[in-house]
Amino acid sequence: MSKPEVDYLQQTWQKLGNIKVTEKFVLFKQRLQDQQNQNFDVMVAGWSSDYAEPTGFLTLFTNNGTNNDGKWISKAFV
């Protein structure tokens, strides 16, 4: 994301009340390490499927998905 986009998120979330947002921009290699090590509260990243098939997106956040670095779990979305 670009700085203006992150600024927008920061300003919008802070308007919600007791939320403090600190922006942190790192090199791509560091972002990948932080993502894999779960060194984040919120991370903004992009995704594009390698092939024209819905599973390229539908499996992103499954409980055991390889891209589920936030370790999000939902019984409804296995």
Side-chain angles (χ1 to χ4, degrees):
M1 286 192 102
S2 69
K3 173 99 169 94
E5 291 169 311
V6 174
D7 288 346
Y8 171 78
L9 290 176
Q10 180 186 42
Q11 293 166 10
T12 302
W13 290 347
Q14 288 183 165
K15 286 180 186 175
L16 295 174
N18 193 18
I19 298 175
K20 182 178 187 242
V21 177
T22 304
E23 297 176 355
K24 179 182 174 185
F25 293 90
V26 296
L27 297 174
F28 183 70
K29 184 177 180 180
Q30 180 65 50
R31 185 189 63 79
L32 290 178
Q33 287 178 334
D34 287 347
Q35 191 171 325
Q36 291 172 346
N37 296 328
Q38 295 179 312
N39 184 24
F40 61 91
D41 292 318
V42 174
M43 181 174 289
V44 180
W47 176 260
S48 179
S49 183
D50 296 341
Y51 47 90
E53 176 66 32
T55 57
F57 294 96
L58 295 174
T59 59
L60 281 177
F61 300 108
T62 54
N63 297 348
N64 60 349
T66 57
N67 289 301
N68 187 7
D69 294 316
K71 304 302 180 201
W72 178 78
I73 295 174
S74 170
K75 292 178 182 178
F77 191 77
V78 182

